[in-house]
Amino acid sequence: MHGAPSATATVPTPHASRYLQQLCKHWSHRFETEFDAARGKVNFGAGAAHFAAAPAALTLTLHASDASGLARLEGAVADHLKRFAFREDPGRRVAARLNRLAARRARR
């Protein structure tokens, strides 16, 4: 997806590997996924999500075929992360970071 819209957010959490694996397992029933404890990828067809777990943070990189697809993907990933991590609520943080990235892209 070279040249396609993308967004990256890093979410501070001590449970990055757990959330990466939960997200990938959840979507593996409907989409092509690859993952281990440190890295994951979900191919949504019109977009993809890449996850990287570090000891203190989860980095999400999203790619889509167009801006509206990226916005939908951002919302879906943030919503699922928020549900899986409700005790910590990193979903709110990732949604805010992705929204800031989208606003900067819109101003360009």
Side-chain angles (χ1 to χ4, degrees):
M1 294 193 148
H2 183 69
S6 66
T8 300
T10 301
V11 181
T13 176
H15 307 292
S17 180
R18 177 189 314 166
Y19 298 146
L20 176 158
Q21 292 177 71
Q22 282 181 301
L23 289 164
C24 290
K25 283 178 188 174
H26 174 75
W27 281 314
S28 70
H29 301 287
R30 294 185 57 203
F31 303 105
E32 179 184 334
T33 62
E34 299 173 27
F35 66 95
D36 59 25
R39 299 205 172 280
K41 177 184 178 185
V42 180
N43 183 352
F44 292 100
H50 297 260
F51 306 100
L58 176 63
T59 300
L60 308 97
T61 303
L62 310 177
H63 303 279
S65 55
D66 58 38
S68 64
L70 182 60
R72 285 190 303 275
L73 188 55
E74 288 170 346
V77 171
D79 180 59
H80 281 77
L81 183 57
K82 187 174 183 177
R83 281 192 268 156
F84 290 135
F86 66 93
R87 288 180 188 87
E88 257 189 284
D89 200 12
R92 182 175 28 194
R93 289 187 297 240
V94 75
R97 289 166 194 233
L98 291 170
N99 287 338
R100 284 193 300 273
L101 287 169
R104 275 188 248 151
R105 279 194 307 274
R107 287 193 299 265
R108 290 182 191 166

